[in-house]
Amino acid sequence: MSRGPELIITEKDNAARRIAAILSGESAEAERMNGVNVYKWGGKRCIGLSGHVVGVDFPPEYNDWRDVEPVELIDAPIDKHPTQENIVAALRRLARKAGNVVIATDYDREGELIGKEAYELVREVNEDVNVDRVRFSSITKREVTEAFENRDDLDFDLAAAGEARQVIDLVWGAALTRFLSLSARQLGNDFISVGRVQGPTLKLIVDREREIDAFDPEDYWELFADLEKDDESFEARFFYLDEDDNEAERVWDEASAMEAFETLQTKSTATVTSVNRRTRTDTPPAPFNTTQFIRAAGSIGYSAQRAMSIAEDLYTAGYITYPRTDNTHYPEDLDPRELLDSFTGTRDFGDDAESLLEQEDIEPTAGEKETTDHPPIHPTGELPSASDLSEDEYEVYELVVRRFFATVAEAAKWEHLRVVADVAGLSLKANGKRLVKEGYHAVYPYFSSSESFVPDVEEGEELAVTDTSIEAKQTQPPRRYGQSRLIETMEQMGIGTKATRHDVIQKLYDRGYIESDPPKPTRLARAVVTAGEDFADLIVSEEMTAQLEEDMLAIADGTANYEDVTNESREMLEQVFEGLMEHSDELGSQLKKSLKADKTLGPCPDCGEDLLIRKSRHGSYFVGCDGYPDCTYTLPLPSTGKPLILDEECEEHELHEVKMLAGRKTFTHGCPQCKADEADEQEDEVIGACPDCGEEHGGELAIKQLRSGSRLVGCTRYPDCDYSLPLPRRGEIEVTDEECEEHGLPHLVVTSGDDDDEPWELGCPICNYREYQARQAGGSELESIQGIGEKTAEKLKEAGIEDVPGLKDSDPDDIAAKVSGVGADTVRKWQASAD
DNA sequence: GCAAGGTC
């Protein structure tokens, strides 16, 4: 009897393609089955999943949030169902005929679970087929071949550990999210979420904000002196020994600071009392894991989300390795010389690669963590040409290349020179540093290598004191977490994963818990964290993950089982709910109060109630009174962007200022009342005849200031004639004597009020608007959306999407089908951020 | 419509 083909199942298409190429000796051919790639050669088939293709959820009868008490979710049944129908269908078709199955998903816990999900789908249609498991940590010929020669079995205990995590996350997350949302009557889009990872992440941000709020600044003074030797001047700083004999520079008492300063001022020389020289080795950085990559990209201006999205594109295009990894050890069979060699002769990297190849020994650095999932992020050696990548993509690609260079470069050496001098019993110190061996800095310019100069001096030498100064300072509150610091801290706390941490931060933005960058928590966030601390401490604590990790280890090594762990977790949640239900009302009113505080601008001038930011039926924002319908006072807001209430308050109206968040077009609107008043006071300035209705009805064009803060050239017969041309929001608009020959309108000039800025010769407003529209039609408007670079905009244009309205009106699936490498979800994200 | 984890 002839056996069917062998079926190899990987976690993603990319891995399937590469494994098929290796095992087939490049002879595998791709076929489409249900829209899914199947690689085929000899008696083999290889298919890539898309991570989890089945999901866990409650049965449909639990869907209605109002019908089901949240507490009921704790013991509700949980189903598994296919979430990627086409892939599951293709897998079933292939499995039916398979003579042997090999699970080749990623070599980590989640990979084992994804493998088990595939195994179960296979078993549904093929009861008897043999199923093997292979494990490898990088898709190289040697590792893959070896893995297929040493086949193993699926580790069902490890997969069960992952299943326990799924269930516990779902039950806690769903039950608590529904409870909080219901208690504050926040259903629909604005529900109030909590979860094992977002909870502690949010608490981290809120705790820091609490520290900032509680911070009480202290005054202190610092003293400096300029010392000089042979016309070479350098700065030295006053210090003293505190009660613990530690060096201190801050003087906490004004009188002693002034006394020391006066002493310094009276003296013209300082005596060198000690000179210390030492050399320090500055070792090159470790290979990139996801967190360190995000951090480095952050330091050159990319948000975590943007950095990962670009890395994903570079990976899909084949230029860099898989961007989601914890590993900081290069695989053994990565040959640094071979990889360096692929860069020789290139314009941007050739010289550096060649100089690195001249080293006798090349020993790459390694970080602390070594894992089995994927290699650290490094260039593949396949080189993009400049036109293949957008500017941003190239910048990130260069970062990855240079990081690889740095990890195979030599250490740098610094010479430190520390000089201590005495002035009338007062100590001054200066620290100089010189880069004596450039080492990896030569190929990796992202770390500072700036030097500070201190001349060669000797003990006992007299130096001239040429200047002295005193600075009054205050201690500063701790800084807010930036996105990459947040991700690093999450990693240290052990919450989230390399693939999800940046998404979690995005989720906190989406839920209205944080705003701005670095993220600042809203009142709602504080209320949610406080509610968690009071009634469900685990959900805002990193302990929950630590405990879960411990339980998962136990399940994986067979000392605990899935049933016991999930049951125990459910019992704990029951306890939590007892406290919650008892305090449901006060909890709800606290949350409602904070939700309102997040929207409050200040007192209504008509009735004294609160003015709130509201959303109209058409989806635009405006300022309305909480006393509505008794009070109908309103103020308009600009039509672009999402309003953010700033801490700054207008003194005249006691209203908070408003900023409009709109990506690169973000701007500060200020006090909406002031803006409206300005518009009311501003007379319209007539500049010519209206081209639409001038002849027929005598309409005229005028420069108008609207109450929403925007300005335009519009017809005086508005609303009977709605002809209008846009004007910039900022700057003084001057009407010149020069006239446009074509339209008969005067040229306009915009001055910023800042003398350093060149005035903007806007010219004839009609010509200006035409040019603006032409630029838009060039497709560049699309690039204003996050995630769309030059290259993507080009692809969209080819698919017939010319501008933002065109993008918004299109069907995401339709675009995804036409544009390679773009999924429907991505399109939806673009559409959302275009609003 | 809830979570967190894969991946696009």
Side-chain angles (χ1 to χ4, degrees):
Chain A
M1 196 182 91
S2 78
R3 278 159 54 106
E6 175 161 273
L7 173 63
I8 300 162
I9 303 167
T10 72
E11 189 155 323
K12 41 192 169 276
D13 174 60
N14 213 309
R17 198 187 69 241
R18 291 171 59 206
I19 288 167
I22 289 172
L23 294 178
S24 69
E26 310 284 332
S27 73
E29 279 173 22
E31 250 176 32
R32 299 283 281 181
M33 183 184 283
N34 293 22
V36 182
N37 287 333
V38 176
Y39 302 90
K40 191 176 161 186
W41 72 101
K44 318 255 182 187
R45 304 283 182 277
C46 185
I47 182 173
L49 308 176
S50 182
H52 291 287
V53 292
V54 295
V56 291
D57 210 346
F58 302 109
E61 57 268 32
Y62 289 85
N63 278 354
D64 193 319
W65 291 31
R66 272 163 296 222
D67 272 3
V68 181
E69 287 284 338
V71 69
E72 289 178 52
L73 293 178
I74 300 176
D75 290 313
I78 292 175
D79 293 338
K80 253 190 195 183
H81 58 275
T83 49
Q84 308 261 16
E85 305 275 6
N86 52 340
I87 298 178
V88 170
L91 180 62
R92 286 193 175 121
R93 264 173 73 182
L94 291 166
R96 227 169 255 131
K97 294 180 287 186
N100 191 50
V101 171
V102 185
I103 306 284
T105 47
D106 291 355
Y107 186 8
D108 56 19
R109 187 174 55 222
E110 216 64 32
E112 207 68 20
L113 175 52
I114 291 166
K116 190 207 161 191
E117 287 160 2
Y119 168 88
E120 283 176 342
L121 292 165
V122 168
R123 273 284 170 267
E124 278 175 26
V125 297
N126 194 333
E127 280 178 25
D128 310 313
V129 67
N130 173 61
V131 178
D132 294 323
R133 163 77 161 134
V134 290
R135 297 188 180 86
F136 43 83
S137 11
S138 64
I139 305 179
T140 58
K141 192 169 181 185
R142 192 181 62 97
E143 282 216 36
V144 170
T145 317
E146 226 166 75
F148 275 80
E149 280 164 7
N150 298 285
R151 300 174 183 214
D152 198 355
D153 293 320
L154 261 176
D155 183 344
F156 287 93
D157 285 339
L158 183 57
E163 286 179 306
R165 178 201 60 71
Q166 285 185 318
V167 166
I168 290 170
D169 280 341
L170 174 64
V171 171
W172 280 74
L176 289 172
T177 293
R178 286 199 195 178
F179 184 88
L180 291 184
S181 303
L182 282 162
S183 75
R185 305 199 199 300
Q186 286 289 114
L187 300 179
N189 284 329
D190 301 320
F191 60 87
I192 298 172
S193 68
V194 281
R196 175 177 57 83
V197 176
Q198 52 175 287
T201 307
L202 193 57
K203 179 169 156 61
L204 207 59
I205 298 170
V206 167
D207 276 344
R208 177 59 56 87
E209 202 69 17
R210 289 166 169 164
E211 280 177 56
I212 294 171
D213 286 347
F215 187 79
D216 193 6
E218 250 183 283
D219 294 319
Y220 67 89
W221 289 263
E222 285 184 331
L223 284 70
F224 302 89
D226 284 349
L227 304 181
E228 198 175 284
K229 177 193 176 175
D230 303 337
D231 288 342
E232 291 184 317
S233 172
F234 62 101
E235 189 182 68
R237 172 189 291 234
F238 166 75
F239 76 97
Y240 61 97
L241 295 180
D242 66 13
E243 54 262 40
D244 303 319
D245 265 359
N246 291 323
E247 277 184 19
E249 296 86 32
R250 297 176 171 186
V251 183
W252 299 101
D253 159 56
E254 184 169 14
S256 0
M258 291 314 294
E259 192 187 315
F261 181 55
E262 276 156 29
T263 310
L264 266 186
Q265 278 182 308
T266 56
K267 302 291 173 186
S268 58
T269 57
T271 313
V272 175
T273 56
S274 86
V275 177
N276 268 299
R277 279 192 186 78
R278 66 186 178 90
T279 53
R280 187 176 64 85
T281 307
D282 172 10
T283 52
F288 267 151
N289 61 11
T290 301
T291 304
Q292 291 310 310
F293 163 71
I294 289 175
R295 176 185 172 166
S299 75
I300 55 171
Y302 293 87
S303 73
Q305 197 74 226
R306 178 95 181 108
M308 284 311 287
S309 150
I310 292 176
E312 180 73 37
D313 290 343
L314 293 172
Y315 156 70
T316 314
Y319 303 130
I320 68 170
T321 56
Y322 193 65
R324 294 181 272 272
T325 176
D326 285 327
N327 206 350
T328 52
H329 284 239
Y330 289 130
E332 267 175 41
D333 48 7
L334 178 113
D335 181 349
R337 284 190 188 276
E338 201 179 303
L339 188 48
L340 281 172
D341 210 42
S342 59
F343 291 98
T344 56
T346 62
R347 190 194 64 191
D348 293 339
F349 306 116
D351 291 350
D352 288 335
E354 281 152 35
S355 78
L356 288 169
L357 279 166
E358 279 166 22
Q359 302 173 96
E360 218 160 275
D361 292 312
I362 295 186
E363 186 54 46
T365 57
E368 280 173 24
K369 209 168 196 178
E370 185 167 11
T371 65
T372 54
D373 54 357
H374 296 91
I377 307 169
H378 63 80
T380 55
E382 183 167 333
L383 304 185
S385 60
S387 60
D388 289 337
L389 300 182
S390 71
E391 245 173 74
D392 285 0
E393 286 168 336
Y394 193 80
E395 201 173 23
V396 172
Y397 176 68
E398 176 167 9
L399 173 68
V400 173
V401 172
R402 295 200 168 279
R403 180 63 160 229
F404 164 68
F405 283 1
T407 61
V408 297
E410 289 181 324
K413 276 212 168 56
W414 293 86
E415 214 168 70
H416 289 253
L417 174 61
R418 175 186 151 95
V419 171
V420 177
D422 178 277
V423 178
L426 302 175
S427 299
L428 298 171
K429 64 174 175 182
N431 289 303
K433 56 176 188 171
R434 222 152 49 87
L435 189 58
V436 290
K437 185 180 160 194
E438 207 180 5
Y440 75 89
H441 290 290
V443 296
Y444 193 74
Y446 308 97
F447 289 163
S448 163
S449 57
S450 63
E451 307 186 328
S452 57
F453 171 78
V454 170
D456 252 336
V457 294
E458 278 169 41
E459 229 175 279
E461 212 176 319
E462 299 271 301
L463 302 171
V465 179
T466 56
D467 193 19
T468 54
S469 60
I470 183 164
E471 284 180 26
K473 295 185 174 175
Q474 279 197 325
T475 52
Q476 296 296 309
R479 266 215 271 272
R480 292 197 178 106
Y481 287 100
Q483 293 191 13
S484 35
R485 272 288 292 154
L486 208 47
I487 288 173
E488 282 185 290
T489 311
M490 290 169 76
E491 188 182 35
Q492 281 159 18
M493 297 189 341
I495 57 174
T497 72
K498 66 226 170 186
T500 59
R501 290 186 194 110
H502 62 278
D503 284 336
V504 170
I505 293 172
Q506 187 55 46
K507 191 173 273 180
L508 298 181
Y509 278 107
D510 295 344
R511 297 278 194 270
Y513 288 151
I514 56 177
E515 47 198 20
S516 303
D517 188 19
K520 177 186 174 206
T522 59
R523 310 296 297 221
L524 173 65
R526 295 169 187 241
V528 169
V529 169
T530 306
E533 287 165 339
D534 290 348
F535 301 108
D537 200 23
L538 263 186
I539 208 68
V540 290
S541 155
E542 68 213 82
E543 284 308 305
M544 181 160 177
T545 298
Q547 183 59 54
L548 182 60
E549 287 290 342
E550 221 174 272
D551 290 337
M552 284 196 289
L553 277 180
I555 296 174
D557 70 21
T559 51
N561 67 58
Y562 167 90
E563 293 292 330
D564 292 346
V565 166
T566 51
N567 283 340
E568 198 188 330
S569 182
R570 285 182 160 112
E571 275 164 33
M572 287 173 68
L573 186 54
E574 302 262 9
Q575 297 262 322
V576 166
F577 260 82
E578 277 178 30
L580 275 175
M581 297 199 294
E582 209 174 298
H583 297 88
S584 175
D585 291 344
E586 64 177 271
L587 220 154
S589 68
Q590 280 301 323
L591 291 172
K592 276 188 266 188
K593 223 170 91 182
S594 62
L595 276 161
K596 195 182 145 194
D598 282 331
K599 293 188 290 192
T600 302
L601 284 182
C604 170
D606 271 10
C607 73
E609 294 268 333
D610 287 322
L611 284 185
L612 307 173
I613 290 192
R614 315 206 106 131
K615 213 169 177 176
S616 77
R617 246 171 275 124
H618 325 288
S620 55
Y621 295 96
F622 69 100
V623 176
C625 184
D626 197 30
Y628 182 85
D630 293 336
C631 173
T632 56
Y633 192 82
T634 63
L635 289 169
L637 287 173
S639 53
T640 37
K642 189 173 181 276
L644 169 69
I645 298 176
L646 301 177
D647 288 334
E648 286 80 13
E649 229 180 77
C650 164
E651 279 180 33
E652 192 186 342
H653 305 107
E654 293 173 53
L655 298 181
H656 283 275
E657 295 189 7
V658 176
K659 189 174 181 174
M660 301 302 293
L661 302 177
R664 292 179 202 174
K665 292 180 184 162
T666 295
F667 62 95
T668 301
H669 176 62
C671 165
Q673 184 69 62
C674 288
K675 279 287 181 301
D677 290 352
E678 274 169 33
D680 291 341
E681 286 159 20
Q682 188 82 34
E683 293 271 336
D684 292 354
E685 185 175 359
V686 174
I687 57 168
C690 173
D692 265 13
C693 71
E695 279 184 29
E696 208 176 328
H697 299 104
E700 289 179 308
L701 288 187
I703 296 176
K704 298 181 173 194
Q705 167 122 31
L706 305 188
R707 304 188 90 229
S708 64
S710 55
R711 292 186 296 193
L712 50 81
V713 171
C715 183
T716 47
R717 289 183 56 251
Y718 182 84
D720 292 328
C721 170
D722 62 1
Y723 184 88
S724 81
L725 303 162
L727 286 175
R729 192 172 289 281
R730 289 171 180 288
E732 192 88 15
I733 295 172
E734 272 177 49
V735 181
T736 68
D737 296 334
E738 211 176 324
E739 199 170 88
C740 170
E741 285 179 22
E742 190 184 348
H743 305 105
L745 294 176
H747 282 201
L748 305 179
V749 174
V750 185
T751 47
S752 70
D754 186 341
D755 288 341
D756 292 343
D757 290 348
E758 286 277 305
W760 173 24
E761 309 264 350
L762 188 142
C764 161
I766 297 181
C767 295
N768 170 268
Y769 185 48
R770 270 204 200 147
E771 284 161 24
Y772 171 77
Q773 281 181 313
R775 276 199 304 277
Q776 304 281 302
S780 57
E781 188 198 3
L782 285 169
E783 290 167 46
S784 65
I785 295 175
Q786 188 141 97
I788 301 188
E790 206 183 320
K791 205 174 131 196
T792 317
E794 192 60 36
K795 284 201 224 165
L796 285 168
K797 244 179 99 181
E798 282 166 23
I801 313 292
E802 303 270 343
D803 52 15
V804 171
L807 175 73
K808 283 173 68 180
D809 293 340
S810 303
D811 178 24
D813 294 300
D814 201 36
I815 300 181
K818 281 192 221 160
V819 183
S820 67
V822 171
D825 280 343
T826 310
V827 178
R828 273 180 215 110
K829 265 185 222 161
W830 291 340
Q831 289 176 331
S833 62
D835 283 324

